[in-house]
Amino acid sequence: MHVAVGKRLAVTALVILCALAPRGGGAQPHLVVASAAGDIHKIQHIVIIMQENRSFDSYFGTYPGADGIPMRGGVPLACVSDPAHGGCQRPYHDANDRNTGGPHGAQSFVADVNGGAMDGFIAEAERGGRACSGYSNDPRCAGHEHPDVMGYHDQREIPNYWAYAHNFVLQDRMFEPNASWSLPEHLFMVSEWSAKCSRAGDPRSCVNELQNPDRPARPRRGFGGTMAPDYAWTDLTYLLHAHHVSWAYYVFSGLEPDTEDGSMYGVQRRLGARTPGIWNPLPYFDTVRDDDELENVQDISHFYEAAKRGTLPAVSWICPDSIHSEHPPALVSVGQAYVTSLINAIMEGPDWHSTAIFLAWDDWGGFYDHVRPPAVDQNGYGLRVPGLVISPYARAGAIDHQTLSFDAYVKFIEDDFLGGARIDPATDGRPDPRPDVRENVSILGDLREDFDFTQAPRAPMLLPVIR
């Protein structure tokens, strides 16, 4: 474990017992329905914590008041076909700390959704098991005779995540922006597009690519002499730089959470601030290099230092390594402890009273979800993932039913720091042929609804680091 993280995890945290206890008397958390009042600019620091590979139903499918697993008399209504064993399987409580999940690329998305029937999850897991593809590198790959994609966790396994939901905002219609896997999602997270480009430095040479944007027709010589993609289209850091808005992308050094060839028998590449890849794509963007901002991609130890000193940048992204990612077969408990350490660090620091934390999981990881994703263009949306908003101005115990994707994070950043400017080829001065301006999609909700900027800033809620 990284030294800085180890020190943070060793800190004795204040236990808020009421945060961990379920609400009694059948009371439902209040819903976000009215426009938020007050000033968005009270948020001076936005921290996006992106974990790995969990669907909404797999973590919050039984959360009171949320659009979770449909049940009658406590029994799940859905029963998903199990081709390998016959019959079908209903969602079930899974107390295991280690999961296997299922394939989660563009092809698996189509199969899992199955035209809206939402019944392809077990078949895809069994198919992936035989090929041993679509998961993290793990020598225990053993055919996936018993897929666990229908399993769900609850407050017993993830008490801190449920505590954040009880005390801040849970989003039950947060969709992955792309109907595919981690790399396209991380590109959407920082640029609102996934593409491949044929001419370095020319955003007009880029074409839409949902599955393999890192395999361009004309790769360039990259870091360490390897052949690497050139991400020539426009990203959010280009606008942040133009408006003199500080940013950082923090990377937990270790191994990437998945293999880049989709095979569990493949080699997991190193992950670090100086090793670009799936979970660290910004160094491959022309804009980052041209603006001399490669140093903004930093080791995660710098995050803990900035949180302690009160020097967080305006915008932060935080990327985990394999062990702390929750990407199967990583332990859920280790990921939750790591995320808690990040949030505690912010809450203990001087910047808490002006910070919004957006916590999500990058894709569904093959796990069951019952909600058919809306289609906004040829790229997505993908399946639902858990989403949480944690802030001194966040509404208490609210469930946000707006239709959201990670595009809403970019939109909030632009509204807060850029005067509403968008990554828009018609206005940003660096046109590319992206299919649409995702921040302006009509069904996309507004994260300002999750805040009440008129309320006094809420006190920190430090939670124990449970492992």
Side-chain angles (χ1 to χ4, degrees), residues 187-237:
L187 294 174
F188 268 91
M189 186 172 68
V190 298
S191 75
E192 296 287 42
W193 197 24
S194 175
K196 58 175 58 178
C197 310
S198 58
R199 294 188 299 275
D202 184 0
R204 294 167 297 182
S205 73
C206 304
V207 295
N208 198 78
E209 175 55 48
L210 180 60
Q211 180 65 20
N212 296 309
D214 58 337
R215 301 175 190 174
R218 297 180 181 179
R220 63 180 176 82
R221 186 66 61 181
F223 294 79
T226 60
M227 298 306 290
D230 186 282
Y231 299 148
W233 66 92
T234 304
D235 69 293
L236 182 60
T237 71

Side-chain angles (χ1 to χ4, degrees), residues 124-207:
E124 276 299 286
E126 290 168 345
R127 181 192 64 80
R130 287 193 298 272
C132 235
S133 64
Y135 310 97
S136 291
N137 181 33
D138 182 4
R140 289 161 300 190
C141 180
H144 282 233
E145 290 88 352
H146 301 286
D148 63 359
V149 293
M150 300 303 293
Y152 62 81
H153 298 294
D154 61 21
Q155 188 169 355
R156 288 166 284 185
E157 295 80 45
I158 47 174
N160 287 9
Y161 292 153
W162 276 49
Y164 292 135
H166 278 306
N167 288 274
F168 298 100
V169 179
L170 174 67
Q171 300 156 326
D172 68 358
R173 284 185 61 82
M174 173 61 78
F175 296 91
E176 182 192 2
N178 56 287
S180 188
W181 64 300
S182 292
L183 174 55
E185 182 282 317
H186 282 75
L187 294 174
F188 268 91
M189 186 172 68
V190 298
S191 75
E192 296 287 42
W193 197 24
S194 175
K196 58 175 58 178
C197 310
S198 58
R199 294 188 299 275
D202 184 0
R204 294 167 297 182
S205 73
C206 304
V207 295

Side-chain angles (χ1 to χ4, degrees), residues 45-378:
H45 309 280
I46 295 170
V47 180
I48 298 171
I49 301 173
M50 192 59 61
Q51 290 294 98
E52 294 286 326
N53 289 47
R54 302 286 164 170
S55 70
F56 183 86
D57 279 346
S58 72
Y59 268 12
F60 291 97
T62 58
Y63 187 86
D67 182 7
I69 300 168
M71 296 192 184
R72 181 180 295 123
V75 178
L77 296 178
C79 197
V80 172
S81 175
D82 183 346
H85 304 96
C88 62
Q89 185 178 111
R90 299 183 189 278
Y92 63 93
H93 175 247
D94 185 353
N96 291 312
D97 199 14
R98 189 185 305 278
N99 301 129
T100 55
H104 41 276
Q107 179 181 350
S108 294
F109 168 85
V110 174
D112 284 355
V113 172
N114 192 20
M118 310 304 291
D119 63 0
F121 299 89
I122 297 176
E124 276 299 286
E126 290 168 345
R127 181 192 64 80
R130 287 193 298 272
C132 235
S133 64
Y135 310 97
S136 291
N137 181 33
D138 182 4
R140 289 161 300 190
C141 180
H144 282 233
E145 290 88 352
H146 301 286
D148 63 359
V149 293
M150 300 303 293
Y152 62 81
H153 298 294
D154 61 21
Q155 188 169 355
R156 288 166 284 185
E157 295 80 45
I158 47 174
N160 287 9
Y161 292 153
W162 276 49
Y164 292 135
H166 278 306
N167 288 274
F168 298 100
V169 179
L170 174 67
Q171 300 156 326
D172 68 358
R173 284 185 61 82
M174 173 61 78
F175 296 91
E176 182 192 2
N178 56 287
S180 188
W181 64 300
S182 292
L183 174 55
E185 182 282 317
H186 282 75
L187 294 174
F188 268 91
M189 186 172 68
V190 298
S191 75
E192 296 287 42
W193 197 24
S194 175
K196 58 175 58 178
C197 310
S198 58
R199 294 188 299 275
D202 184 0
R204 294 167 297 182
S205 73
C206 304
V207 295
N208 198 78
E209 175 55 48
L210 180 60
Q211 180 65 20
N212 296 309
D214 58 337
R215 301 175 190 174
R218 297 180 181 179
R220 63 180 176 82
R221 186 66 61 181
F223 294 79
T226 60
M227 298 306 290
D230 186 282
Y231 299 148
W233 66 92
T234 304
D235 69 293
L236 182 60
T237 71
Y238 173 77
L239 294 181
L240 295 176
H241 177 77
H243 287 77
H244 309 289
V245 177
S246 59
W247 65 270
Y249 192 99
Y250 297 109
V251 181
F252 199 134
S253 298
L255 294 177
E256 290 185 333
D258 202 352
T259 59
E260 298 201 5
D261 64 358
S263 169
M264 289 180 71
Y265 289 122
V267 177
Q268 284 175 288
R269 294 186 181 180
R270 296 294 303 177
L271 174 66
R274 297 293 173 262
T275 51
I278 293 171
W279 286 266
N280 181 18
L282 280 172
Y284 287 149
F285 275 89
D286 293 343
T287 57
V288 176
R289 296 193 305 275
D290 293 346
D291 291 336
D292 295 321
E293 293 190 312
L294 286 172
E295 294 301 318
N296 290 26
V297 181
Q298 303 175 5
D299 185 82
I300 197 169
S301 60
H302 292 279
F303 162 78
Y304 287 103
E305 293 167 2
K308 183 176 181 179
R309 296 175 182 174
T311 57
L312 286 173
V315 179
S316 303
W317 294 275
I318 304 181
C319 166
D321 74 330
S322 179
I323 293 174
H324 300 87
S325 68
E326 296 166 67
H327 187 304
L331 297 179
V332 172
S333 62
V334 172
Q336 179 182 240
Y338 153 74
V339 170
T340 303
S341 79
L342 298 174
I343 295 173
N344 282 351
I346 296 169
M347 288 183 171
E348 291 176 311
D351 290 333
W352 162 247
H353 292 293
S354 57
T355 296
I357 302 168
F358 300 141
L359 170 60
W361 285 254
D362 71 341
D363 65 54
W364 81 108
F367 290 103
Y368 172 75
D369 194 82
H370 79 279
V371 174
R372 179 179 185 174
V376 298
D377 58 23
Q378 66 264 49

Side-chain angles (χ1 to χ4, degrees), residues 417-437:
F417 299 118
L418 306 179
R422 303 287 186 240
I423 310 176
D424 184 345
T427 61
D428 61 26
R430 199 173 182 278
D432 55 44
R434 64 184 60 215
D436 48 22
V437 179

